[in-house]
């Protein structure tokens, strides 16, 4: 799946959506007792991609060492210009802002066959199933 070029917030949506947006998001991405992974669209046309993490809530790192706080068991991407919540102060503390110069691939999530725990947004690869070395 691909998302269009632009400046994106990558992180947990529970930090950047209003209560109304979150309710709509949940209505789109939850089917019975299953959370759906992939690319979706809100009723007003705003596109987003979302993927469940391997172990739910926590803090996960991408391959560049950037951290992503998770409280809703997911990591997604949405255009910064499409975020309507008033509080932008936490964006960099809880996720990251990334400029994608061209359309980019998104993939991962629990529903993917042989999934290894990596969630991908273009060149950003977030490890949600870390293997501890002793």
């Amino acid at each position: 799946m691909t998302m269009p070029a632009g400046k994106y917030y990558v992180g947990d949506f529970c930090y950047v959506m209003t209560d109304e947006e979150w309710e709509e998001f949940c209505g789109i991405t939850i089917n019975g007792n299953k959370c759906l992974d992939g690319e979706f669209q809100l009723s007003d046309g705003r596109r987003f991609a979302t993927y469940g993490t391997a172990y739910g809530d926590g803090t996960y790192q991408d391959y560049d060492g950037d951290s992503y706080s998770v409280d809703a068991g997911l990591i997604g991407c949405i255009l910064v210009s499409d975020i309507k919540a008033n509080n932008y102060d936490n964006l960099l503390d809880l996720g990251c802002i990334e400029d994608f110069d061209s359309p980019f691939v998104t993939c991962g999530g629990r529903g993917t066959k042989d999934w290894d725990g990596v969630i991908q947004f273009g060149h950003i690869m977030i490890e949600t199933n870390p293997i501890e070395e002793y």
Side-chain angles (χ1 to χ4, degrees):
M1 297 185 211
T2 55
M3 295 290 286
K7 185 176 186 174
Y8 282 80
Y9 165 76
V10 178
D12 191 330
F13 290 155
C14 75
Y15 302 130
V16 298
M17 288 189 167
T18 64
D19 291 344
E20 183 177 285
E21 291 168 324
W22 185 251
E23 186 174 322
E24 181 180 358
F25 168 84
C26 291
I28 294 169
T29 62
I30 298 173
N31 184 3
N33 63 353
K34 292 185 181 185
C35 294
L36 306 175
D37 294 318
E39 296 175 12
F40 304 92
Q41 186 170 308
L42 295 171
S43 61
D44 62 7
R46 290 179 287 159
R47 291 184 59 194
F48 63 91
T50 181
Y51 299 95
T53 62
Y55 290 104
D57 301 348
T59 301
Y60 300 99
Q61 287 194 328
D62 65 22
Y63 290 175
D64 292 329
D66 294 318
S67 294
Y68 302 82
S69 295
V70 173
D71 280 322
L74 63 89
I75 299 174
C77 70
I78 188 169
L79 284 166
V80 170
S81 60
D82 286 345
I83 297 173
K84 294 183 177 180
N86 294 342
N87 187 0
Y88 296 101
D89 298 337
N90 293 334
L91 291 183
L92 294 177
D93 293 335
L94 303 172
C96 76
I97 304 296
E98 187 68 31
D99 282 309
F100 292 95
D101 296 331
S102 58
F104 60 97
V105 171
T106 72
C107 63
R110 296 170 291 235
T112 306
K113 185 179 181 189
D114 299 325
W115 181 55
D116 62 1
V118 175
I119 297 172
Q120 177 182 0
F121 302 102
H123 64 276
I124 298 174
M125 308 286 277
I126 304 167
E127 177 61 70
T128 71
N129 187 19
I131 299 170
E132 292 188 32
E133 294 182 12
Y134 297 108

